[in-house]
Amino acid sequence: MPFVISVAQLNFVVGDLPGNARKIIACAQQAHAAGARLLLTPELSLCGYAAEDLYLRPAFLSGCEDALATVAQETARFEGLAIVVGHPQRAEADGEGLCYNAASVLRNGVVEQTYLKQELPNYDVFDERRYFLPGDGSCIFDVEGVRVGLLICEDAWFEGPARRAAQAGAQLLVTINASPFHLGKSAEREQIMRERVTETGLPLVYAHLVGGQDEVLFEGRSFALQSNGFVAARAPGFEEACFPVRVDVAQGAIELKAEVAPLPALESDLWSALVMGVRDYVGKNSFPGALLGLSGGIDSALVLAIAVDALGAEKVRAVMMPSPYTADISWIDARDMAERLGVRYDEISIAPQFEAFKAALAQEFAGLPEDTTEENLQARIRGTLLMALSNKFGAVVLTTGNKSEMATGYCTLYGDMAGGFAVIKDVAKTAVFSLARWRNANDPFGTGAQPIPERIITRPPSAELRPDQKDQDSLPPYEVLDAIVARYMENDEPIDAIVQAGYDRADVERVTRLIQLNEYKRRQAPVGIRISRRSFGKDWRYPITNRFRA
């Protein structure tokens, strides 16, 4: 007999136990009304992923227990609907204060079974072994005569748990997940799950989280694979959905049927990720809006366009803060862009403050030439003004530094690094240019075509902190810089290997040295969106005091 699995691809809030429970209950009601017999929620859906050191607090675990009981009680009326809920489960008498990463099968108001995650990731942004104990055994439950084997995320990246579920009699695998996004991860996930299908001969349904949690994103794109590995279903990315998958059973064979959303192009995926990251960080932390310094350069232009797509023009404010070195075309282009997007735009000259600082320091600096000290003064004045506006009106300051600058320290502590959220912190400068061109050619959220004046994209980038300054005065060409950063920082390639790949040794030595020297700056940078395999965030843990050179 055919039946329907509903995948609750939902955006939960860490720690909002009542709100998350209500979301699960509402989705269960919708699924039951549509005739579904099984509802899958994502990994740790009840508490949100990842709750980090909240897992170590007994009161938090007690709250999760109460929320699970509420979901069971409130869904008892949805007769015959099995609901898989992800949650932490207290470990009894473990002596370490740890818990399990668990998933319970609820039906008719009762917790029928609880499965404990076996494979605990402890790499990249993960540190699950800090909080969880590994489980063992399989969880097999019946839905309309079909034996369903339950897995949790990392379990399905290894052969063992799926094989054991098949040996225990499973006819269909379901896995609930919170698998962090990076570019290309969607296709990678499907391929890994295809390996499990090939090994077991069983079809698989993959239920995935959607939403932003601080620096980490989850893009959704829940999917299903037939027993031959073909994609039978794929939910859209970066949006919530109660996604139905039909299960047909004929002569012991299972066939899955649903809509298959296409995988988008790279720039489209990146734009959606950044927009969701801003929207969820601002919204989930209850900021009334966002503000940023709009310089007339490409980085701040890109961040403004992302912010408007994420929040709407009415919640975004741009401030131009010209100095004696600001070119006329910079403020002209800044005004133009603000008008195109319809945001509030203000100009506050920093010249008086800059002169006041120089006068105050004149005696100390007597006889010394101007250098980066005076350049950094300008950046810090701007940072102070933006933070003052943030304190007064409550909007979060979006910083505009990119990954190339974060890597090399081409940024100013307490200056352009001052703020609450670093939107393009993990976007290399070369990608900034390509993404700006993509956004000018596309209007995915209907906020306006061609938002970025062409001259902002085509003019040579400059911090405009001294006369006739260009970024390339201090750094290698961005095509070279970004390639070295990717090889050394993201892929852990040694210096000699990068040189052997064709890069000038002097450039490689210089860039890698700058990466090492500027760790102290990155430790003080605001949290920012992760879109690559390795960002300068939770998955980059290098000592500040460090004399090792590869």
Side-chain angles (χ1 to χ4, degrees), residues 299-300 303 398-406 410-411 416-417 422-427 432:
D299 294 317
S300 62
V303 171
L398 303 179
T399 64
T400 60
N402 58 63
K403 188 171 192 173
S404 310
E405 295 169 349
M406 288 290 111
Y410 198 68
C411 46
D416 55 319
M417 293 176 68
V423 179
I424 57 173
K425 180 181 182 179
D426 198 31
V427 182
V432 167

Side-chain angles (χ1 to χ4, degrees), residues 17-180:
L17 305 180
N20 295 339
R22 286 193 298 271
K23 272 201 165 187
I24 294 170
I25 294 165
C27 193
Q29 182 175 17
Q30 179 181 337
H32 185 260
R37 310 309 288 166
L38 173 60
L39 174 67
L40 302 175
T41 73
E43 178 179 11
L44 294 168
S45 54
L46 198 59
C47 63
Y49 190 97
E52 300 184 347
D53 279 11
L54 287 173
Y55 297 125
L56 303 178
R57 301 188 71 88
F60 182 72
L61 297 180
S62 296
C64 291
E65 291 166 357
D66 293 343
L68 184 65
T70 297
V71 173
Q73 179 182 348
E74 292 297 319
T75 59
R77 65 185 186 274
F78 306 136
E79 185 177 355
L81 176 66
I83 306 169
V84 175
V85 178
H87 61 94
Q89 174 148 310
R90 200 188 308 261
E92 298 297 334
D94 65 274
E96 299 179 36
L98 300 179
C99 56
Y100 294 102
N101 184 335
S104 289
V105 181
L106 313 182
R107 189 155 32 192
N108 301 325
V110 176
V111 177
E112 289 188 349
Q113 295 189 59
T114 296
Y115 174 74
L116 308 178
K117 186 176 182 179
Q118 301 176 39
E119 301 290 345
L120 303 176
N122 223 60
Y123 56 87
D124 291 347
V125 299
F126 301 106
D127 49 10
E128 290 199 12
R129 294 176 196 170
R130 176 178 172 87
Y131 309 110
F132 301 125
L133 296 168
D136 56 21
S138 298
C139 176
I140 311 296
F141 61 98
D142 183 273
V143 179
E144 299 294 311
V146 173
R147 294 185 298 278
V148 179
L150 176 60
L151 304 172
I152 301 177
C153 202
E154 189 82 358
D155 290 339
W157 289 70
F158 291 85
E159 184 268 341
R163 173 178 49 79
R164 288 190 287 272
Q167 291 172 344
Q171 298 169 286
L172 169 67
L173 297 175
V174 297
T175 175
I176 66 170
N177 310 272
S179 177

